[in-house]
Amino acid sequence: MIISWSLVEIFRYLFYAFGLVTGDSNKKTPYPLFWLRYSLFAVLYPTGITGELTCFFSAAYDPAFQSTFSADIAIWIYARILPLVYVFGSPFMIMNMVGNRKSAFKKRFARPPPPPRGIVFPVEEGKKSRSSTPVNKEILASAVGAVNPSKAEKIRSAKGYRFTYVKHLTGLVEEQCKSPEACLKIAQAGLDKAYDIFEFVAPDGSAVSVREAMSMKNTEKFCTGFIKGEGAKDTTMMEVPYKGTILKGQSLKDQVKKWVDYGTIEPSAGEAIIGCVDNPNWCDLSDKYFVLLGAGSAMGPLLVLLALGANVIAVDLDRPNIWKRLIGLAKKSPGTITFPLKQEQSSLDSDDALYAAAGCNLFTHTPMIRDWLMDLYPGKSFTVGSYAYLNGALHVQVSLAMDAITRDLSEKRPGTSLAYLCTPTDLHLVPKEAWDASVSNFKEYGSRLLCMFVRLLSSGRLLKKNAKAPVAGEGGDFYMINGVSVAQGPNYILAKRMQHWRAVVARSKGCIVSSNIAPATSTVSVTQNRTFAWAYEGMPYFEPYEIFAPETSNAVMSAILFSDLNSPKSVGNPKTSLNNPNQLFSQGSFHGGNWRCAYEVDSIGETSVLIYFARIGAPYIAGSAVVLAAVAYKVLGY
């Protein structure tokens, strides 16, 4: 034990010493020392653990110790029972080091980032870095500053913005509730600031604002690729995959009613889905054109659209593997796919050549994509869906890129409608019925032993009340639910907020806008974070939460989209009267229980993880109880 742990520390502290001297322990440490620091654990952890266990057992079975065990039961149990912890704890410790090693090697041998291209954050004043926090603060401040300058100054002077941005977001939404004019003024000011503050860097390194870049003439043009599917259209009905079955017709209606009654979705979302069942012509998409920005997104409607014979105009990265998949899906479907090409399709002599020439980059080709779409299929009405998603600051950049395209299409191409997927982890206005349900659940869960214990232990930091105080505004009181997860960060919220702003502005100008809340979904991008995956497993304890599979979320959100595009009563139709533009996001919500849950989603994560591990650990806990009972019987005689 001593030899193993001493060797571990010798190389670890040598590694730290080089880091102090060189200023970069990861890249400047001599490679042999770097390798030993992150590799010796494979030998020394098992031998060190074996040494510790040997010490335990040597003590437990020493004759001198045996003769005194009845005088000190605690030590006797400690020497025999505590080693059980190693059975469960050792793999976690070793796998943690495996993850650290993988991350360290990736950083050491990572290529330097390429020079900035396309839409990028501006260089921070007085520095060489492109930081996202000052930009986040300035855009939000400029937005709310259009109606309340004092709140804008509080945002600009905020400290620790990474953890305090939610209160400033709340203040912005409260200002939007005061009147329809204030709501639209804030939205337009926020978008305007984003176009002015973000840069567009050309291949030669020259930079202009995104506003200027989108107003320039482009000499380069995309060619157009087209594939007609060979599959037979086998359905004109809305079908929803759910827990191993296919719901359609009456079975879908029955399940929708269960979701509504349980509180997993809002009644308006249920009505929209049932509307698709009752109007099968809404699902005949053979003459409809859908532009998918981020066509391959896990939450996008590509598969549903192709299955229903739609004409999909796909925009995604210029990577052959992406287009091999997208074109392959289209060929097997009754739909069609149109996509940007770097050269004429007739000049490509193989499928591999087609895949290599297909695609574009939303960051760097933004004006070219806009121009290509403006000229495509003259006279046809487009529904433009913004589905691209990236992590961190890149999500803000791609959201602005999509906005630059949707702005011009919605304002300059007649008949264009817009589609968005809102996240449940945001700050939304909700119907009073949903707010009342959340308040009622808070009272009910407050009497549960687990919830009382967690709130007491955390001093109220966990299991916070979901329903916020009503906000008075022109047209009555407005009700809010705080679904924001602080861990997602201000970049995520800004990206989604820009989509909100474009949605209300476009709708105010007569554009149909489908912008509905999608449920928490077990996509790969989410569940690759183990903590999120564990939390998802435990969240259904808090009724009416339900976590959905991607194929279910895609289908139900597509159904609500079709309702928005066809139903004159839809809230997405600009002819439907609203007391406030932000009520666009109050209807058609398939929130998965977020709105009616007793507690804020950001305050149930730790408890959900605890519930998950309590469930999977129940057999082990029961086994340990049996062992302890046996020990008690042996030692105490009962």
Side-chain angles (χ1 to χ4, degrees):
M1 179 184 71
I2 291 172
I3 291 171
S4 296
W5 293 145
S6 296
L7 283 174
V8 165
E9 301 304 340
I10 287 169
F11 292 103
R12 188 159 70 100
Y13 280 97
L14 274 175
F15 177 81
Y16 291 155
F18 270 93
L20 289 172
V21 173
T22 63
D24 187 345
S25 58
N26 200 54
K27 287 186 177 293
K28 296 182 179 179
T29 302
Y31 182 73
L33 177 58
F34 173 85
W35 188 90
L36 288 169
R37 160 72 179 95
Y38 286 106
S39 303
L40 277 178
F41 77 91
V43 174
L44 298 182
Y45 271 35
T47 56
I49 291 168
T50 301
E52 289 188 23
L53 289 173
T54 303
C55 291
F56 273 116
F57 294 132
S58 295
Y61 293 99
D62 184 89
F65 189 71
Q66 285 278 351
S67 65
T68 61
F69 75 86
S70 58
D72 198 338
I73 296 171
I75 293 178
W76 189 90
I77 293 175
Y78 171 82
R80 284 174 165 78
I81 303 303
L82 192 62
L84 291 175
V85 174
Y86 285 75
V87 176
F88 308 111
S90 297
F92 285 101
M93 187 168 68
I94 292 171
M95 292 310 297
N96 180 63
M97 278 304 301
V98 171
N100 290 345
R101 184 180 191 275
K102 183 177 179 180
S103 177
F105 273 77
K106 185 176 180 180
K107 290 178 181 178
R108 183 173 179 107
F109 297 107
R111 296 178 180 177
R117 283 280 312 279
I119 295 177
V120 296
F121 281 83
V123 176
E124 194 173 351
E125 188 174 350
K127 299 181 180 179
K128 295 182 179 180
S129 60
R130 298 179 183 271
S131 176
S132 63
T133 298
V135 173
N136 264 273
K137 294 170 69 174
E138 187 56 35
I139 291 176
L140 211 65
S142 297
V144 75
V147 297
N148 191 326
S150 64
K151 280 190 176 181
E153 289 310 308
K154 288 181 180 179
I155 294 174
R156 291 188 176 102
S157 60
K159 303 296 183 183
Y161 186 73
R162 174 66 178 77
F163 301 100
T164 62
Y165 68 91
V166 178
K167 71 176 182 181
H168 300 297
L169 173 67
T170 304
L172 180 143
V173 176
E174 288 172 349
E175 291 296 325
Q176 285 188 298
C177 288
K178 291 184 177 179
S179 70
E181 293 76 20
C183 179
L184 294 172
K185 198 171 182 180
I186 286 172
Q188 190 62 63
L191 291 170
D192 287 343
K193 189 62 180 180
Y195 277 82
D196 291 333
I197 199 170
F198 274 89
E199 295 179 349
F200 190 91
V201 179
D204 62 3
S206 61
V208 296
S209 70
V210 171
R211 184 183 301 281
E212 292 176 281
M214 295 305 295
S215 64
M216 291 178 176
K217 293 284 185 180
N218 292 294
T219 55
E220 289 186 86
K221 301 288 183 182
F222 280 117
C223 300
T224 299
F226 177 81
I227 297 291
K228 181 174 177 58
E230 301 167 355
K233 189 173 181 181
D234 57 1
T235 181
T236 57
M237 300 178 63
M238 193 66 230
E239 297 182 348
V240 177
Y242 182 63
K243 294 184 176 180
T245 63
I246 300 295
L247 303 175
K248 57 184 177 181
Q250 191 58 46
S251 66
L252 179 54
K253 287 184 176 183
D254 293 342
Q255 183 59 56
V256 167
K257 185 177 184 305
K258 290 178 182 177
W259 283 329
V260 171
D261 292 344
Y262 190 55
T264 304
I265 71 174
E266 291 307 296
S268 55
E271 292 169 6
I273 297 170
I274 290 173
C276 278
V277 177
D278 293 339
N279 296 273
N281 58 302
W282 291 1
C283 297
D284 182 3
L285 307 180
S286 56
D287 62 342
K288 306 296 183 184
Y289 290 78
F290 292 85
V291 178
L292 306 186
L293 304 177
S297 169
M299 285 296 291
L302 174 71
L303 293 176
V304 176
L305 296 178
L306 288 175
L308 294 172
N311 300 288
V312 172
I313 301 166
V315 175
D316 214 317
L317 285 170
D318 45 355
R319 294 177 183 171
N321 61 310
I322 290 176
W323 290 99
K324 183 177 182 179
R325 173 180 173 266
L326 297 182
I327 292 173
L329 291 171
K331 284 181 177 180
K332 296 176 183 178
S333 79
T336 71
I337 187 169
T338 305
F339 47 94
L341 279 174
K342 298 180 178 67
Q343 61 191 86
E344 292 292 344
Q345 188 171 355
S346 58
S347 67
L348 303 170
D349 57 4
S350 68
D351 285 346
D352 287 341
L354 180 64
Y355 306 148
C360 55
N361 188 310
L362 282 165
F363 288 174
T364 58
H365 297 142
T366 319
M368 289 175 61
I369 297 169
R370 185 270 319 272
D371 292 348
W372 177 68
L373 291 170
M374 287 292 293
D375 296 336
L376 193 64
Y377 298 124
K380 300 295 184 181
S381 296
F382 285 174
T383 296
V384 185
S386 298
Y387 300 113
Y389 170 81
L390 291 169
N391 290 324
L394 292 174
H395 193 27
V396 182
Q397 294 167 244
V398 78
S399 288
L400 181 58
M402 292 189 294
D403 188 79
I405 294 166
T406 56
R407 178 197 64 174
D408 287 355
L409 289 174
S410 64
E411 294 180 357
K412 299 176 183 178
R413 181 167 176 139
T416 297
S417 53
L418 304 183
Y420 298 97
L421 286 179
C422 296
T423 174
T425 51
D426 204 337
L427 193 72
H428 293 294
L429 301 187
V430 303
K432 186 176 186 300
E433 294 77 13
W435 189 88
D436 287 340
S438 177
V439 172
S440 177
N441 283 330
F442 184 77
K443 292 178 181 177
E444 178 189 340
Y445 274 77
S447 62
R448 295 191 179 187
L449 190 61
L450 172 64
C451 297
M452 288 192 292
F453 175 74
V454 170
R455 283 180 60 81
L456 178 65
L457 196 64
S458 67
S459 302
R461 186 181 67 84
L462 300 179
L463 303 187
K464 295 179 182 178
K465 188 176 182 180
N466 200 11
K468 300 183 73 66
V471 179
E474 189 177 306
D477 287 342
F478 297 95
Y479 299 86
M480 284 193 290
I481 292 296
N482 180 19
V484 178
S485 175
V486 174
Q488 288 179 310
N491 285 319
Y492 182 80
I493 286 297
L494 177 60
K496 303 307 288 186
R497 193 54 41 176
M498 289 196 299
Q499 294 180 4
H500 282 210
W501 291 340
R502 178 57 60 197
V504 297
V505 169
R507 187 182 183 277
S508 72
K509 295 180 179 180
C511 181
I512 293 176
V513 178
S514 176
S515 187
N516 303 297
I517 287 80
T521 305
S522 54
T523 59
V524 174
S525 63
V526 173
T527 56
Q528 69 182 2
N529 183 314
R530 287 184 295 176
T531 305
F532 281 179
W534 296 334
Y536 271 12
E537 293 291 335
M539 282 171 66
Y541 169 82
F542 299 100
E543 298 177 1
Y545 261 108
E546 182 174 351
I547 308 302
F548 289 86
E551 57 271 18
T552 303
S553 296
N554 290 342
V556 295
M557 297 314 297
S558 296
I560 299 172
L561 167 62
F562 301 155
S563 176
D564 285 340
L565 296 177
N566 290 279
S567 174
K569 297 179 181 179
S570 165
V571 72
N573 191 317
K575 294 180 181 178
T576 301
S577 178
L578 298 175
N579 290 331
N580 188 281
N582 265 3
Q583 288 181 309
L584 169 64
F585 314 107
S586 299
Q587 304 297 314
S589 176
F590 202 108
H591 50 71
N594 179 292
W595 284 5
R596 294 175 179 245
C597 179
Y599 305 114
E600 292 182 2
V601 67
D602 203 36
S603 71
I604 66 174
E606 294 89 340
T607 311
S608 297
V609 172
L610 178 65
I611 291 169
Y612 165 68
F613 278 109
R615 285 174 178 168
I616 66 169
Y620 304 108
I621 294 171
S624 299
V626 171
V627 172
L628 288 173
V631 170
Y633 178 79
K634 178 180 178 181
V635 175
L636 302 177
Y638 63 89

